[in-house]
Amino acid sequence: MRPVTHCGILELLARTVISNQVGGNMSSKAAASIVGMMAIALYSGLGMAAADPYQLNLPEPQTIIARQIYDQHTMLLWICLAIFIGVFGVMFYSVLKHRKSVGYKAANFHHSTTVEIIWTIIPFFILVGMAFPATKTIIAMKDTSSPDITIKTTGYQWKWGYDYLTGEGEGISFLSNLATPRAQIENASPKEENYLLEVDNPVVVPVGKKVRIIITANDVLHAWWVPALGVKQDAIPGYIRDAWFTIDKPGTYRGQCAELCGKDHGFMPIVVEAVEPEKYTQWVAEQKSKSAAAVVDVSKEFTMDELKAEGEKVYAANCVACHQANGKGIPGTFAALDGSKVATGPKAGHIDIVMNGKTGTAMAAFKHLSDVQIAAVVTYERNAWGNAAGDVVQPSEINEFRK
Amino acid sequence: MNTIEANSVVMKKLLIFTVVMFAFGFALVPFYEKICEVTGLNNLLQADTLAENPQVDTTRWVTVELDANIQGLPWQFKPLQSSLRVHPGELVEVMYEVKNNSDREINGQAIPSYSPQLLAKHLKKLECFCFSKQVLKPNETRQMPVQFVIESGLPTDVNTVTISYTFFELAGANAANLVTKTNQS
Amino acid sequence: MAAVHDHDVAHAHDHHPSGMMRWMMTTNHKDIGTMYLWFSFIMFLTGGVMALTIRAELFQPGLQIVNPEFFNQLTTMHGLIMIFGAIMPAFVGFANWQIPMMIGAPDMAFARMNNWSFWLLPPAALLLLSSFFVPGGAPAGGWTIYPPLSVQMGMGMDMAIFAIHIMGASSIMGSINIITTILNMRAPGMTLMKMPMFVWTWLITAYLLVLVMPVLAGAVTMLLTDRNFGTNFFNAAGGGDPVMFQHIFWFFGHPEVYIMILPAFGIVSEVIPTFARKPLFGYSSMVYATASIAILSCIVWAHHMFTAGMPVTGQLFFMYATMLIAVPTGVKVFNWTATMWRGSMTFETPMLFAIGFIFLFTLGGFSGVICAVVPIDIQVQDTYYVIAHFHYVLVSGALFGIFSGAYYWLPKWTGHMYDETLGKVHFWLTMIFFNLTFFVQHFLGLAGMPRRIPDYALQFADFNMISSIGAFGFGLSQLLFLYVVLKCIRGGAKAPAKTWEGGKTLEWTLPSPAPYHSFETPPVVR
């Protein structure tokens, strides 16, 4: 844990000014016209590092929508600041001068229709000025037409699933889990740079291509949010919603689930990796060959130890959040596996519940895992903690089960 | 009228108002559905009829992406093609395939959802597996068609749309409720 | 009217039960007001302890103090308790004490119902709090209890739903009482447009409560049947729509926000003229502004749902309507400023809190306008920015209003002056720690920290630490308030009938402390 090193008020103020200047440089006509002078005066190429602990403003925008949002926010801040100075300038002048202790005698006026009409109408026009650029951005945000690639993202408790529906990479499908080890969360080992913002499988997209993202959920509400892309959309089970982005430059952009979805809501980040189109083509090829390899694996026989070792990893990625590392679950909320009837009973029942979930409970279906992974985790659960079923589940059995 | 009477008159009015507002809360449900129906957002589970002689607008192409989801039941569900290009006004048929992976008979109901949402207003489905529940025997595979027309009223700036279905298991109350709902509409 | 008091007077004088029974059976508006205020203070501390636990967990990255499930229970219960247990009952307490005294009425219109509406609250609060101890724990779906997550919860959710029903019934009964009292029991000569602003704001608030509380009751009832009886109002599998819950909830929820702020507007509109020794500027435009805020508040609910996915036209409508609220709110702020302008001001604690209110509430208003702009809202929705925004309007808005009113009327209620020095210390500590806690949360939200998370990325560490330090300072400062109040009740300089030189409303014509029965003969207002 880094100590708070320099959080002086002055520095905060200085940073507020600086970050507003950065906003002024975001090349928007509207914002520039207001802050242009000061922005030029103070421009010194100050960008914001992704992990600046004193980041005061929206992250550096990477899409046209995010940039418009950034500029509008900056414009509104300046308008608010102007009103703030106007209103509180008057009020604090009054507080200083019109006080009894300096002998000021109260006047006795109590209304002025003219003044009241003026200060009803002026704010109205200021608001119209604010709403105008926003309206244009809203319309642009909704324009999901003619994408190069369509990706569906599905919110699960508590991970994201991605399916590349159309365009280059069609057919790629994977899950994206939090990659931060449990030990870091529980303060058992030092936290690394991208603590809680790292995943095992990031979404890879090409730069300069319009990506349409279809958002849905499998259990409860989630929200897919990547600040630098200017996209936040609730994921609603049974319904699809869409959004779009075109990323300008390669990089890794991180976001998080933004709608409370239960226990591990804070632990389902989103990582978008934008790469050059050629690298994207390469990545697609890799993914395809990987899924082809997975099919071949099925007939291979594994030993108990191999399966248990692999199963422990799968368990740590998918099961530990609810059933806990000790297999005891959380009484009253999540079932224990240690000594449970399912994990010590017949194999078929155990495989069924892992693959298909249990309706009416938080137990989700995990059939999206590979045959090897399911075989491994089932074997692990049957032979870990106090469980000693002693049997081994082979990937071929899972494959058989799928048919 | 003395104060006590006047007070009880006000109280009665306010109590009636309270009850009306409570009912209004529930009335919002059909009201919401009605709004969705009028705007075409939610015309889900019934067949549409076509205008007499739909004009096919061959100057325009709309890309239709097909999507499939399952929620909480051991089925596999996918469209047989991921996307297609159609002209507004053109009658097209696409196929979805569903497979029951379990060894029990399961009732499923597909709920459609469209993106962008305004597509709902301009999509006319003549035939769809979502109009009725689907009963799949153990390990049964079924191919199911959807016949639809995208009306030429679809705004010209929309040229990519998604039609998505999510299969839910119909069990007990869900089943009964949906059947009545479908019958009413 | 004579009939009313003869009965009440006889009743009260004949047997005036003491001890516990006095409070259980009382129909006196002052007793009931006192109970409301103490109840709300206890709830404020309860919700505050939860908030401090949350802030303690967020002091550093990593999980230290509570596990994520319990964290979610805390955020949910903190919200429910502060809204339904602390802020709303506090304002009803003020209404009970002040409305009869300010309109020259002997008591509330329905004294017995007044007793019931208070005594519904403690059992409801107990029911809500005891949900922590049932299997599955307290509801953990956020105070907005969105399905389908809230359908997944254990029986704690059912208990919370019942508690909301009971508290809603209490609010509705209270509102009916307040409306009837204001409409029917004003002293002769007090026309509606001569009523003190506090009475006006409460009249409008009470109408809003009767309008939306039943809708909330409907929404949670539907949730209850979805959970327990297999209905499918909000379940896509059965033809329902989870987003519909959000529409119904926020149809209640947004006016609710104004229910919590309008009475604070009223208090500030009393305090500012008193200490500026000058009449309220633009009385009638204040009334119209309050009414327009109330009306507008009923057509802006979907701005809480901009990220839920809405057609363009919907987003535009709700954005424009929401931004429009800034107009009447601005009028209020300008009117308060104009009231202070060329006044002869003194800065006793109530005035400090009132100025603090205007200052910080306006900041909350600015962030409100920023949130109303759909594209920006897409970025800040469900982040700490929103947390900062609504704490600026609810803590430095509603709560500062409550503090201002409490200091303003404590001498009238207790007969003693409170300790002015300690009061000022309380104000400055509250002001400093409040800003320390919540101002930095704007930065956290903009930088990308979602709300309702028990652990966060390292880049958010420093501001969270500052915020947690501020929160503990803020929480501890409130114990000073408790001390000031207790000290004031137990003794202190004798307060004159007209405690404040600029006090113009009717309660200042009564002796301090206000007699148990006041205005049995209505005063005549010219």
Side-chain angles (χ1 to χ4, degrees), chain A residues 81-228:
Chain A
L81 184 68
I83 299 172
F84 179 84
I85 292 172
V87 173
F88 290 103
V90 172
M91 185 184 286
F92 283 104
Y93 177 84
S94 174
V95 164
L96 285 177
K97 299 284 178 185
H98 305 155
R99 46 168 74 208
K100 199 183 174 193
S101 56
V102 298
Y104 199 88
K105 291 274 178 295
N108 198 29
F109 62 89
H110 51 75
H111 78 282
S112 156
T113 313
T114 325
V115 172
E116 287 170 57
I117 288 175
I118 289 173
W119 68 39
T120 307
I121 289 177
I122 290 180
F124 180 79
F125 284 104
I126 296 176
L127 290 171
V128 172
M130 290 176 173
F132 184 69
T135 304
K136 288 205 286 195
T137 306
I138 293 172
I139 291 166
M141 285 171 122
K142 297 281 180 186
D143 178 22
T144 54
S145 273
S146 309
D148 298 304
I149 295 175
T150 302
I151 303 174
K152 176 173 76 172
T153 176
T154 310
Y156 297 90
Q157 282 173 319
W158 292 275
K159 55 185 167 279
W160 292 97
Y162 296 97
D163 297 278
Y164 287 61
L165 292 184
T166 59
E168 189 181 1
E170 181 180 327
I172 294 175
S173 168
F174 55 85
L175 285 170
S176 183
N177 281 291
L178 177 72
T180 304
R182 215 56 216 170
Q184 289 187 21
I185 297 170
E186 283 156 5
N187 311 305
S189 64
K191 299 181 183 11
E192 283 162 33
E193 193 194 345
N194 292 317
Y195 177 69
L196 295 189
L197 295 177
E198 51 199 342
V199 296
D200 51 1
N201 300 311
V203 202
V204 178
V205 295
V207 294
K209 293 275 184 345
K210 182 167 182 177
V211 179
R212 174 162 179 254
I213 185 137
I214 303 271
I215 297 147
T216 185
N218 189 57
D219 31 46
V220 298
L221 301 176
H222 301 270
W224 198 85
W225 177 36
V226 182

Side-chain angles (χ1 to χ4, degrees), chain C residues 304-384:
Chain C
H304 296 268
M305 303 162 51
F306 282 148
T307 62
M310 228 185 288
V312 181
T313 41
Q315 289 194 333
L316 290 178
F317 172 78
F318 286 108
M319 175 174 83
Y320 298 151
T322 304
M323 292 175 88
L324 216 50
I325 293 193
V327 174
T329 313
V331 167
K332 283 184 157 289
V333 172
F334 300 144
N335 281 352
W336 288 322
T337 312
T339 308
M340 291 161 73
W341 186 253
R342 296 180 56 207
S344 176
M345 278 188 277
T346 52
F347 301 95
E348 288 87 347
T349 313
M351 184 63 163
L352 288 179
F353 270 108
I355 295 174
F357 168 96
I358 301 175
F359 187 68
L360 297 179
F361 178 81
T362 305
L363 290 187
F366 285 145
S367 59
V369 173
I370 288 175
C371 287
V373 176
V374 175
I376 305 176
D377 186 69
I378 295 289
Q379 286 287 28
V380 297
Q381 165 73 14
D382 278 320
T383 70
Y384 262 79

Side-chain angles (χ1 to χ4, degrees), chain A residues 371-388:
Chain A
D371 292 352
V372 179
Q373 285 174 315
I374 295 176
V377 79
V378 171
T379 308
Y380 173 73
E381 286 172 1
R382 298 176 74 73
N383 298 288
W385 319 296
N387 295 351

Side-chain angles (χ1 to χ4, degrees), chain A residues 50 55-59 197 225-228 232 254-258, chain C residues 379-385 441-451 453 456-457 459-460:
Chain A
Q55 184 184 327
L56 300 172
N57 206 339
L58 295 163
L197 295 177
W225 177 36
V226 182
K232 184 188 284 144
R254 298 169 197 277
Q256 284 177 272
C257 175
Chain C
Q379 286 287 28
V380 297
Q381 165 73 14
D382 278 320
T383 70
Y384 262 79
Y385 192 89
Q441 293 185 358
H442 291 112
F443 305 138
L444 285 174
L446 289 171
M449 178 167 164
R451 68 191 285 199
I453 59 173
Y456 47 81
Q459 77 206 64
F460 308 128

